[in-house]
Amino acid sequence: MLRVIVRRLLQLVVTLIALSALIFIWLRNLPGGPVEALLGERATPERRALLTKALGYDQPILVQYAKFMQRVVTGDLGNSIRTGDPVTEVIGRAFPATIELALAAMIIAIGLGVPLGYLAARYKGRLLDNLSIAGTLLGISIPIFFLGYLLKDVFTQNIHWFPPSGRLSTGLDHTDVTGFFVLDGLLTREFDAAADALWHLILPAVTLATIPLAVIVRMTRASVLDVLNEDFVRTAEAKGLRHKTIRGRHILRNALLPVVTTIGLQTGALLSGAVLTEKVYNWGGLGTLITGSISGGRDYPVLQALILLAALVFVVVNLLVDLSYAVIDPRVRVR
């Protein structure tokens, strides 16, 4: 198990270095570049030359990259072109909002997807199975932004069950400890704030969870159907084992590997879906920060850090998926 962890960590480091190099070179070669973004309409040949030298952009690309990596290792990602604030502070203010939304969406997707997929496989061809297939097809087909506006119109404008946007009600006092508003309310015993944050979280989380929920249901159903036809399941039934033991130890555990892979991929993909969901619900997370950095003057330091952060999250999630294989299937540890 230790060898598996060390090998995966080494692969993670190599992957991140390669991704950082590609992102660095790509952003440096975009039309305009950071110098034009900083100078804007004041750009003259003299000003460009002075700023290019001051920023070190006149040096060879490998030298620039080496200096960039030195700053990254020390936690210095530069300053935002738009606000002048350190990039770490800019991202730190938005990061908890997106993570809170993504975690809530995955809890909904996993909590409903795995049981529904198992039940659909167990009752194959019956009403529940047919409804699950139709529901997952609908969930995958509907664009997130359209579903978001639809749910928002129905549940906030017509029947007024949920708030229309934001993370907290206006004027509500709360203590910001971690940036995760639900958790902060529980930690500081401000239960009104925690309940209000949770109430604001439900609708965006349901919107974001629809696609991963549909994918997890389908993958669980297909994986369980494959395992149900295996000889060891029939042998366990012939031995007279309890159905609870057969379901948990023999069917679900052996069907989980492809499901866990799907969960890992969908968790990484939530970052792209969060951009649209946050826009619809004015959530104020990384999605809002990305759109603002692109449309608000090409904030290259923030964009560079956000792309690196997204890559880091995706790689770490896949590392956790690989490690979970060894927990679910002991044969992985042996190999």
Side-chain angles (χ1 to χ4, degrees):
M1 184 66 175
L2 182 60
R3 286 200 302 269
V4 173
I5 295 175
V6 172
R7 185 165 63 249
R8 292 293 187 269
L9 287 175
L10 290 175
Q11 292 173 352
L12 182 148
V13 172
V14 173
T15 302
L16 288 178
I17 291 175
L19 284 172
S20 66
L22 289 173
I23 294 167
F24 183 85
I25 295 171
W26 174 63
L27 287 176
R28 289 297 181 276
N29 288 279
L30 285 177
V35 173
E36 295 290 340
L38 282 168
L39 292 177
E41 297 179 353
R42 300 171 300 168
T44 63
E46 294 78 14
R47 286 177 176 270
R48 289 194 196 97
L50 287 174
L51 188 57
T52 299
K53 186 175 181 62
L55 295 175
Y57 293 157
D58 58 334
Q59 298 176 345
I61 192 69
L62 291 178
V63 175
Q64 295 182 46
Y65 177 70
K67 291 182 177 180
F68 167 72
M69 289 304 295
Q70 288 178 353
R71 294 195 301 270
V72 169
V73 170
T74 59
D76 180 12
L77 298 174
N79 295 325
S80 169
I81 293 175
R82 290 192 303 162
T83 64
D85 296 334
V87 172
T88 51
E89 293 183 7
V90 174
I91 294 178
R93 291 193 291 265
F95 187 66
T98 297
I99 295 300
E100 185 176 54
L101 177 59
L103 284 176
M106 286 311 298
I107 289 173
I108 294 171
I110 297 171
L112 294 177
V114 174
L116 282 176
Y118 173 80
L119 292 173
R122 186 178 179 187
Y123 300 105
K124 180 184 177 183
R126 300 185 187 180
L127 179 62
L128 179 61
D129 184 31
N130 294 328
L131 288 176
S132 69
I133 293 175
T136 54
L137 181 61
L138 187 64
I140 294 174
S141 303
I142 298 180
I144 284 182
F145 70 90
F146 174 75
L147 179 63
Y149 282 118
L150 180 63
L151 294 178
K152 189 175 179 180
D153 181 65
V154 172
F155 290 102
T156 69
Q157 304 298 327
N158 293 331
I159 59 178
H160 306 288
W161 282 5
F162 297 101
S165 62
R167 299 180 65 196
L168 278 177
S169 298
T170 305
L172 182 66
D173 293 331
H174 76 286
T175 304
D176 192 351
V177 179
T178 65
F180 300 92
F181 286 176
V182 176
L183 179 61
D184 289 345
L186 296 176
L187 290 176
T188 58
R189 297 182 179 275
E190 297 173 350
F191 298 115
D192 290 342
D196 187 77
L198 182 61
W199 208 240
H200 281 76
L201 179 62
I202 291 175
L203 211 54
V206 169
T207 303
L208 188 59
T210 51
I211 291 179
L213 171 60
V215 174
I216 290 171
V217 169
R218 288 214 161 196
M219 180 56 67
T220 305
R221 177 184 180 275
S223 184
V224 170
L225 284 175
D226 287 340
V227 174
L228 284 173
N229 295 321
E230 295 290 340
D231 292 337
F232 63 82
V233 175
R234 288 192 288 269
T235 301
E237 292 173 346
K239 286 183 176 180
L241 294 180
R242 293 184 303 170
H243 289 295
K244 182 179 180 180
T245 303
I246 296 174
R247 289 196 301 268
R249 184 176 299 175
H250 296 282
I251 297 177
L252 271 179
R253 187 163 186 175
N254 284 280
L256 273 181
L257 284 181
V259 176
V260 169
T261 302
T262 301
I263 290 172
L265 293 173
Q266 290 300 313
T267 303
L270 280 182
L271 291 177
S272 60
V275 175
L276 298 174
T277 305
E278 291 180 8
K279 185 72 174 177
V280 172
Y281 293 100
N282 191 25
W283 191 251
L286 294 180
T288 306
L289 186 59
I290 290 173
T291 55
S293 299
I294 295 173
S295 61
R298 293 175 297 177
D299 200 339
Y300 285 95
V302 174
L303 282 175
Q304 186 170 256
L306 286 172
I307 297 171
L308 281 175
L309 179 62
L312 176 63
V313 170
F314 201 88
V315 170
V316 169
V317 167
N318 280 276
L319 171 65
L320 295 176
V321 168
D322 289 342
L323 295 180
S324 68
Y325 289 165
V327 176
I328 297 170
D329 190 349
R331 292 172 297 181
V332 175
R333 295 196 294 266
V334 175
R335 289 195 296 265

